[in-house]
């Protein structure tokens, strides 16, 4: 039953929320207006080269998602949840996300056309990792089989790198 209760087990500490900043044991995450991490510091080291960004291609045109604000929907010691909206190119995205006391961040992105039906050719979520901050990247697509949806990537040391969800999809 460990982990099913809404508690913060030792040695972790409760999540502290100060504006868009989330502080947990050994890590600070600053959220952007798009609901995605703008800055991540682990033990004082910057992890992101620049903020996480979302864009898409609709009807043959690239559109950068423009955020319209971030709001928190839950603030508890063990879990914080938030929502943000983004628009661009006739498409609206809603980001619903939450973070647990241990740093796990779960993000759900819902896409809807603003008026008529649209064909989405591409959705990009770019996570630009500093090459001096990490050697590996691990993400999970969740879904029905959480353990089988994991993706592992080695971060090249000799060139800039950003995980691009369109180029390196989940299995």
């Amino acid at each position: 039953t460990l982990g099913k209760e809404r508690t913060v087990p030792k040695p972790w500490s409760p999540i502290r929320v100060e504006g868009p900043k989330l502080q947990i044991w050994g890590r600070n995450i600053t959220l952007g207006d798009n609901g995605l991490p703008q800055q991540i510091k682990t033990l004082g080291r910057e992890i992101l080269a620049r903020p996480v960004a979302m864009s898409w291609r609709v009807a043959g045109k690239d559109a950068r998602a423009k955020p319209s604000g971030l709001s928190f929907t839950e603030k508890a010691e063990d879990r914080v949840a938030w929502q943000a909206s983004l628009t661009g190119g006739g498409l609206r995205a809603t980001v619903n996300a939450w973070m647990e006391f241990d740093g796990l961040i779960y993000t759900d992105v819902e896409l809807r056309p603003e008026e008529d039906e649209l064909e989405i050719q591409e959705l990009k979520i770019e996570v630009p990792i500093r090459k001096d901050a990490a050697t590996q990247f691990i993400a999970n697509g969740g879904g029905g089989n959480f353990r089988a949806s994991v993706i592992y990537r080695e971060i090249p040391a000799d060139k800039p790198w950003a995980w691009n969800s369109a180029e390196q999809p989940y299995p």
Side-chain angles (χ1 to χ4, degrees):
T1 60
L2 184 63
K4 292 184 178 183
E5 298 173 359
R6 295 289 306 262
T7 61
V8 180
K10 292 185 187 270
W12 287 281
S13 55
I15 303 170
R16 289 191 334 204
V17 180
E18 295 177 10
K21 293 182 181 182
L22 308 175
Q23 296 178 340
I24 59 172
W25 187 47
R27 195 169 320 148
N28 295 326
I29 295 104
T30 303
L31 299 172
D33 284 342
N34 62 1
L36 302 170
Q38 178 179 337
Q39 182 182 57
I40 299 174
K41 281 187 178 180
T42 299
L43 301 175
R45 291 182 62 190
E46 292 283 348
I47 302 300
L48 298 177
R50 61 187 180 282
V52 175
M54 187 184 319
S55 62
W56 46 71
R57 177 179 285 259
V58 177
K61 295 180 183 174
D62 290 329
R64 192 84 168 160
K66 295 180 185 103
S68 59
L70 170 74
S71 63
F72 286 92
T73 57
E74 178 183 3
K75 293 180 183 178
E77 288 187 345
D78 65 322
R79 178 182 147 126
V80 173
W82 60 91
Q83 186 176 66
S85 296
L86 302 96
T87 56
L91 195 62
R92 179 178 182 81
T94 302
V95 174
N96 286 295
W98 49 265
M99 184 180 81
E100 293 181 344
F101 61 88
D102 61 359
L104 171 78
I105 297 176
Y106 180 89
T107 306
D108 181 68
V109 179
E110 180 180 308
L111 302 171
R112 293 189 179 271
E114 289 186 313
E115 292 180 19
D116 299 324
E117 289 185 16
L118 290 175
E119 180 183 338
I120 302 167
Q121 285 100 18
E122 186 175 73
L123 169 66
K124 288 184 189 177
I125 300 173
E126 294 180 283
V127 182
I129 308 292
R130 289 174 50 116
K131 62 184 175 184
D132 63 341
T135 59
Q136 299 174 34
F137 178 80
I138 303 170
N140 194 302
N145 188 346
F146 194 77
R147 294 181 195 274
S149 299
V150 71
I151 183 171
Y152 302 93
R153 294 287 184 259
E154 185 174 332
I155 298 174
D158 59 341
K159 59 183 178 179
W161 183 83
W163 177 64
N164 181 325
S165 60
E167 295 170 7
Q168 301 164 342
Y170 292 111

